Amino acid sequence: MSEIIRARGLTKRFSDLTAVDGIDFSVEAGECFGLLGPNGAGKTSTIRMISCVSPLTSGELLVDGMDVTTSGREIKARLGVVSQEENLDPDLSVQQNLLVYARYFDIPKNDARQRTDEILELFQLSDRRHEIVDNLSGGMKRRLIIARALINQPSILVLDEPTTGLDPQARHLVWRKLRLLQSQGTTMLLTTHYMEEAAHLCDRLVVMHLGEILAEGTPAELIEREVGHQVLELRLEGVRREAAVELLQRREGLQLEDVEELIYVYGHTQDWALVLKELTEFQEGVRLREATLEDVFLQLTGRGLFD
């Protein structure tokens, strides 16, 4: 694969706020690359710079070999952008929203109609083509926003929280369509708060916090490196809680995190069967489960709110 997005020392400042603080990353053609992080991490600011709608403060950013500071128009023609905001024209029909958007790319009318038909079929909106957007459900509007981003047949699809507000059925439909697009060669840049979504779609990802990149790798690599394959959860109270903690603290290589009513226990090289045997008397309050990206996310960025 070849590098299609390259950022070196990428920085974005707003007065005294540094939203993106000198980050480096690259995206390979044809992969799905994720940006994870809490609110205020710098994900959307990074996306906006890649989309050529927000200028860099400093650093280097190349998209498809072109510098965003000098080739914004050419880069935008290659991008399909799905923003967080619902920015459809509410007074137009589903079909009209796509056809009008196609004009921005100077797509011939016949081609625009053909592409519109194909995209509406892809996202199961064909039977709603003449429906005014204001009459659509929130999930249908979200699918239409993603569909609209494909009208110019982009080589790079920028997805900023694409499935926010969707029910599980609609979310899985979108995932299937995105995997199909990737199999056809589309590169995807994804921000999401759904850890399952990131694990499901992303080939590689970075975890961002306060404008910096804390970790990078495949979902499996990050889970193994940051928390290990499994996580032990203890839901105990009083003296039983104290006794279990004291027992675990005697073992080397364990990391305990006390979060209100739960204690999370991490250990990369632990024999969990042996640990569970030692905790037999606390069996009802102990659960061993597979580690997830959410564990990685919370380990790296903390459990507090950042608004």
Side-chain angles (χ1 to χ4, degrees):
M1 292 190 295
S2 59
E3 191 177 70
I4 197 167
I5 299 175
R6 171 189 170 93
R8 295 292 180 267
L10 184 62
T11 301
K12 181 65 180 183
R13 296 191 185 93
F14 299 94
S15 298
D16 296 330
L17 172 67
T18 301
V20 180
D21 193 5
I23 63 174
D24 298 341
F25 67 90
S26 61
V27 179
E28 301 295 325
E31 76 173 335
C32 180
F33 187 87
L35 300 172
L36 302 189
N39 292 334
K43 307 183 302 297
T44 296
S45 293
T46 300
I47 289 289
R48 287 174 59 81
M49 287 187 283
I50 292 171
S51 302
C52 302
V53 296
S54 180
L56 284 63
T57 300
S58 62
E60 177 189 62
L61 180 57
L62 303 179
V63 178
D64 206 6
M66 296 177 286
D67 192 323
V68 299
T69 63
T70 57
S71 304
R73 181 182 294 272
E74 293 85 350
I75 291 170
K76 286 180 179 179
R78 290 165 168 76
L79 299 181
V81 179
V82 178
S83 65
Q84 291 185 36
E85 297 80 20
E86 195 273 279
N87 53 9
L88 299 164
D89 191 322
D91 299 321
L92 297 181
S93 70
V94 167
Q95 179 175 266
Q96 288 169 335
N97 263 272
L98 298 184
L99 293 175
V100 168
Y101 194 69
R103 296 177 189 170
Y104 296 122
F105 298 95
D106 294 324
I107 300 171
K109 285 185 178 181
N110 289 340
D111 290 346
R113 288 190 175 277
Q114 181 179 344
R115 293 184 193 181
T116 294
D117 290 343
E118 293 171 352
I119 293 169
L120 291 179
E121 180 69 25
L122 179 66
F123 282 92
Q124 298 181 11
L125 291 168
S126 295
D127 60 338
R128 300 283 183 158
R129 66 173 62 245
H130 300 302
E131 192 82 50
I132 297 299
V133 162
D134 242 4
N135 296 337
L136 298 180
S137 67
M140 288 181 179
K141 289 178 182 177
R142 200 69 192 146
R143 280 151 54 195
L144 181 58
I145 290 171
I146 300 172
R148 186 184 60 181
L150 301 177
I151 198 70
N152 61 319
Q153 298 179 334
S155 57
I156 304 171
L157 189 57
V158 180
L159 302 152
D160 196 5
E161 305 289 346
T163 62
T164 296
L166 295 186
D167 60 36
Q169 291 87 351
R171 186 176 300 129
H172 279 267
L173 169 65
V174 170
W175 290 354
R176 291 198 302 272
K177 303 312 179 187
L178 292 178
R179 288 200 307 272
L180 174 62
L181 291 168
Q182 187 185 7
S183 72
Q184 296 171 346
T186 303
T187 302
M188 294 189 292
L189 190 64
L190 171 73
T191 78
T192 180
H193 282 126
Y194 296 114
M195 297 300 108
E196 183 188 5
E197 181 164 274
H200 198 76
L201 293 176
C202 293
D203 300 299
R204 292 187 303 125
L205 55 90
V206 294
V207 179
M208 297 183 66
H209 187 43
L210 300 177
E212 299 181 349
I213 290 177
L214 302 183
E216 178 177 352
T218 69
E221 287 170 350
L222 288 172
I223 291 170
E224 172 59 26
R225 186 166 71 234
E226 301 299 332
V227 296
H229 288 301
Q230 294 177 300
V231 177
L232 191 67
E233 293 182 355
L234 305 181
R235 190 183 296 272
L236 301 167
E237 297 179 352
V239 294
R240 298 181 76 243
R241 181 187 183 97
E242 293 173 5
V245 168
E246 183 179 351
L247 189 153
L248 290 168
Q249 287 176 336
R250 294 176 192 162
R251 295 186 64 89
E252 293 184 2
L254 289 181
Q255 178 186 352
L256 277 65
E257 183 183 12
D258 193 336
V259 184
E260 297 179 352
E261 79 280 4
L262 276 176
I263 297 173
Y264 297 93
V265 186
Y266 308 99
H268 288 79
T269 59
Q270 288 300 311
D271 182 343
W272 287 112
L274 183 58
V275 174
L276 289 172
K277 185 176 180 180
E278 294 178 356
L279 293 170
T280 300
E281 64 180 291
F282 309 104
Q283 188 172 0
E284 290 184 2
V286 176
R287 181 170 78 103
L288 183 66
R289 60 168 174 80
E290 293 299 310
T292 68
L293 265 184
E294 186 164 329
D295 295 307
V296 174
F297 183 90
L298 294 172
Q299 274 281 88
L300 291 172
T301 66
R303 297 177 185 271
L305 296 178
F306 298 89
D307 290 321

